[in-house]
Amino acid sequence: MNGAAERLLGLQSADAKGKPLDDLFRLASEETGEEDSAYLARLLAGEAFDGNGLTQRLVRQDQSRIAVSLVAAPLYVDQRVAGAVLVFHDRTTEQEFLAQLSWHATHDTLTSLANRREFESRLGASLAGLAKRPATHALMYLDLDQFKIVNDTCGHAAGDELLRKVSTALRQQLRPGDVLARLGGDEFGILMENCPAELAATTAETLRKAVEELHFVWNGRAFNISVSIGVVGLTDASMTIEETLRSVDVACYMAKENGRNRIQLQQVGDIELEQRMGEMAWVQRLREALEQNRFCIHAQEIVPLQDDTPAGAHVELLVRLTDADGNMIAPGAFIPAAERYGLMPLVDRWMVRSAFEMLALRDRAGTDGAIATCAINLSGASFGDDSFVDYVLEQFERTDIAPSLICFEVTETSAIADLDRATHFMTALRAHGCRFSLDDFGAGMSSFNYLKTLPVDYLKIDGGFVKDMLADRIDRAMVEMIQHIGEVTGKRTIAEFVESREIAVALRTIGVDYAQGFGIARPRPFDVHFRATASLDFGVEIPAATRSRRAAG
């Protein structure tokens, strides 16, 4: 027994002498917990054991159990078994890291609530259960009414703290088995199984009051917070997850339309008319905006962090919308609606056409400040539009801009949702020189096996990991892991939500290629005379270890 074995067993070699091997090296199954008392006998009978891919539990003298993997082989003298070698690998750290990854896959890191993916999974299980045993469940959708004011006036730190306080207040009003999730931004979902309509209504009112009575103060400034809640009763097992979420979303939208800080109770069968009205309202508003050309383009610079990045400015083009009165509407208000009601392909076409025209005008005007890469976001719906590739190629031919100038950004979740279409779409445009970036990478915590076949050039590290990486070791570990994946797969990495120089310095040290965020540059209107001016002066050398890793990659 070497020193590592002594630490693993919690026993000195001198104390182990004279004790039966079966008493010292007890192995138990990870799945069943049952001990395997015969593995040593099989080993001494000449049977080798390779458990590198199998996690088991080593039962110590104090009955505690440690995750290990075992590789063992018999020793032969004159072709006869004379003993055996046991090599245990302590997998405690690996197990803890896997547990963290599993937790991140199902939880929102800011609030520690279930995330949208886990919520939809639980909702799907509840709907499937209705087919086996009739019951009444309640589904709620909650949207904070004043969150944007707090976020815009006090910054993201204040918004994050408000979300944490709201999460705590909501959790305290629910039953132990109820599911509370953060669905995105300032939106929450609640699933209450075996919940009659009366209890759902009472609980929703309790939740509304809890948020209303929440006194939020930031830097001496007090805010009155309220929430709009849509409630839908679930009894129909034939409803899909998408249909139920759309129904409760519309109920919440109606609560907002009716004055906010209120509850809208609906049954699935009663909501169709209201849903149609809500759909047509958004359809009409967005179609009018397209016809009246009330969309506009802003640009945000992406700056290089390493010395070996290609020359030329790198910008991301962002779509914005103004209402009939000229007021700017936040993307978070109209993009989800456009996605929900199938209008994103029209918005994507407008964006591609307008961006290409602007780039062609810049080229003809001889504008100073060459742009080497223009990133344009595309929705997952455009993958399913078989004519979209032809449309993009027509715009290249019409404007005569170089396809190598364009990098299309697609979210990780939309690409994985229809991997075959995404791969075909990317391959078709890459053949003409376009590049692709995988946005929000890491948020879905997938197996990453798809990266072997998905033809992308950049991985954009999800900003949720970046913005707190200096204070949160797990977030930094996630950034380092994604950067390593980029190196192994030969893809450049871009970090989002870079809000300070300190974060940029840390990203540079890790080896991340590019940075984007308010700490680098804020989005600005993109026109013929737009010049990318953002840059970073670190005043430090890249660590030798980083340079060697990048060279090896």
Side-chain angles (χ1 to χ4, degrees):
M1 289 170 55
N2 61 9
E6 290 179 335
R7 290 190 295 274
L8 197 62
L9 282 178
L11 191 67
Q12 297 296 315
S13 296
D15 298 327
K17 288 181 179 179
K19 293 188 177 182
L21 292 176
D22 289 342
D23 288 346
L24 292 175
F25 302 100
R26 296 159 56 193
L27 276 185
S29 168
E30 173 81 6
E31 296 181 357
T32 65
E34 295 181 359
E35 291 190 32
D36 181 1
S37 59
Y39 82 98
L40 282 172
R42 295 195 303 270
L43 181 62
L44 293 174
E47 179 182 331
F49 185 89
D50 184 359
N52 263 329
L54 178 66
T55 300
Q56 296 176 298
R57 295 285 173 173
L58 179 65
V59 184
R60 307 172 74 185
Q61 297 296 297
D62 60 1
Q63 301 305 310
S64 61
R65 300 191 175 198
I66 298 178
V68 297
S69 60
L70 168 65
V71 176
L75 292 175
Y76 289 91
V77 176
D78 296 331
Q79 299 182 347
R80 296 181 59 184
V81 177
V85 174
L86 309 180
V87 179
F88 290 94
H89 173 58
D90 187 348
R91 301 191 65 174
T92 303
T93 303
E94 296 174 25
Q95 290 291 298
E96 290 175 351
F97 188 64
L98 289 173
Q100 291 172 356
L101 290 180
S102 177
W103 188 90
H104 276 282
T106 57
H107 288 78
D108 171 59
T109 55
L110 176 65
T111 62
S112 297
L113 301 179
N115 60 17
R116 188 180 192 97
R117 178 181 178 181
E118 175 67 7
F119 187 75
E120 290 183 358
S121 175
R122 298 285 293 273
L123 176 59
S126 294
L127 291 173
L130 290 176
K132 302 176 182 178
R133 184 170 61 87
T136 299
H137 305 324
L139 181 64
M140 300 185 189
Y141 194 99
L142 297 80
D143 194 340
L144 298 183
D145 297 323
Q146 283 81 27
F147 180 74
K148 187 177 185 301
I149 296 175
V150 175
N151 223 29
D152 289 350
T153 58
C154 297
H156 291 298
D160 289 351
E161 180 62 20
L162 174 58
L163 290 173
R164 283 189 285 263
K165 287 185 176 294
V166 169
S167 301
T168 300
L170 295 176
R171 190 187 293 112
Q172 291 173 348
Q173 309 303 323
L174 298 174
R175 304 174 302 180
D178 297 334
V179 182
L180 171 62
R182 182 185 175 206
L183 302 183
D186 59 341
E187 300 167 346
F188 298 86
I190 296 174
L191 175 62
M192 302 178 67
E193 293 187 328
N194 301 311
C195 179
E198 297 79 9
L199 177 58
T202 302
T203 303
E205 177 60 19
T206 301
L207 295 170
R208 187 197 65 79
K209 287 183 177 179
V211 174
E212 187 179 42
E213 294 171 358
L214 185 65
H215 300 292
F216 183 71
V217 180
W218 187 264
N219 290 337
R221 183 174 179 181
F223 293 89
N224 294 321
I225 308 300
S226 63
V227 64
S228 299
I229 306 177
V231 185
V232 172
L234 301 180
T235 57
D236 186 358
S238 65
M239 294 286 290
T240 65
I241 296 174
E242 292 74 16
E243 289 171 336
T244 54
L245 288 175
R246 190 179 304 122
S247 298
V248 75
D249 188 8
V250 171
C252 182
Y253 182 75
M254 293 171 61
K256 282 187 170 292
E257 280 190 326
N258 291 333
R260 303 176 183 270
N261 192 26
R262 62 184 63 232
I263 301 163
Q264 184 70 33
L265 299 168
Q266 295 287 158
Q267 289 296 322
V268 172
D270 301 334
I271 205 171
E272 183 176 359
L273 179 60
E274 290 86 350
Q275 180 180 341
R276 291 294 179 89
M277 291 173 61
E279 288 176 352
M280 292 308 298
W282 271 113
V283 169
Q284 187 63 25
R285 290 173 64 184
L286 291 174
R287 288 190 181 278
E288 286 178 357
L290 288 166
E291 292 171 359
Q292 298 169 12
N293 202 33
R294 285 193 279 105
F295 286 94
C296 59
I297 300 176
H298 283 208
Q300 185 178 29
E301 291 100 319
I302 299 173
V303 301
L305 298 177
Q306 309 298 334
D307 296 334
D308 62 344
T309 51
H314 189 156
V315 299
E316 179 180 1
L317 303 185
L318 307 166
V319 66
R320 296 291 187 262
L321 172 65
T322 55
D323 61 19
D325 298 324
N327 300 313
M328 191 74 69
I329 300 175
F334 69 89
I335 293 294
E339 290 177 337
R340 187 181 306 123
Y341 303 126
L343 294 177
M344 277 309 298
L346 294 177
V347 177
D348 285 345
R349 287 177 180 241
W350 179 92
M351 184 66 175
V352 168
R353 182 179 68 252
S354 302
F356 285 17
E357 289 173 352
M358 186 64 68
L359 291 168
L361 285 173
R362 284 175 52 84
D363 185 62
R364 289 195 293 269
T367 303
D368 292 335
I371 294 178
T373 302
C374 269
I376 300 176
N377 288 279
L378 293 180
S379 68
S382 292
F383 296 159
D385 184 353
D386 294 332
S387 64
F388 192 77
V389 171
D390 292 335
Y391 180 82
V392 173
L393 296 178
E394 289 173 5
Q395 300 309 308
F396 277 128
E397 184 176 354
R398 184 176 66 85
T399 58
D400 200 31
I401 68 168
S404 60
L405 178 63
I406 303 300
C407 177
F408 290 113
E409 287 194 7
V410 298
T411 64
E412 179 190 18
T413 51
S414 63
I416 298 172
D418 197 344
L419 194 57
D420 289 340
R421 281 186 178 273
T423 303
H424 173 76
F425 178 83
M426 293 179 184
T427 302
L429 288 179
R430 276 176 61 91
H432 293 271
C434 295
R435 288 170 286 165
F436 282 87
S437 176
L438 205 57
D439 201 5
D440 296 336
F441 186 78
M445 292 307 303
S446 302
S447 67
F448 304 145
N449 284 334
Y450 64 88
L451 284 177
K452 298 176 182 178
T453 56
L454 199 62
V456 298
D457 305 275
Y458 302 90
L459 301 180
K460 293 195 76 172
I461 304 172
D462 184 71
F465 300 127
V466 176
K467 64 188 180 78
D468 294 325
M469 62 176 287
L470 297 183
D472 191 318
R473 293 193 306 170
I474 294 177
D475 283 349
R476 183 183 177 108
M478 294 298 296
V479 173
E480 292 174 344
M481 180 186 71
I482 294 171
Q483 167 61 24
H484 181 64
I485 291 172
E487 290 178 356
V488 171
T489 57
K491 306 178 194 309
R492 297 270 182 178
T493 50
I494 303 172
E496 300 175 301
F497 287 23
V498 180
E499 298 184 349
S500 70
R501 184 180 180 279
E502 290 75 15
I503 293 177
V505 170
L507 292 168
R508 175 182 169 91
T509 303
I510 290 171
V512 174
D513 295 294
Y514 295 90
Q516 178 183 9
F518 284 1
I520 306 298
R522 290 179 176 270
R524 294 180 285 135
F526 185 72
D527 57 23
V528 174
H529 305 291
F530 178 89
R531 292 187 63 188
T533 58
S535 63
L536 282 171
D537 181 14
F538 294 96
V540 295
E541 291 292 326
I542 303 176
T546 302
R547 288 199 300 269
S548 63
R549 286 199 306 270
R550 295 179 55 76

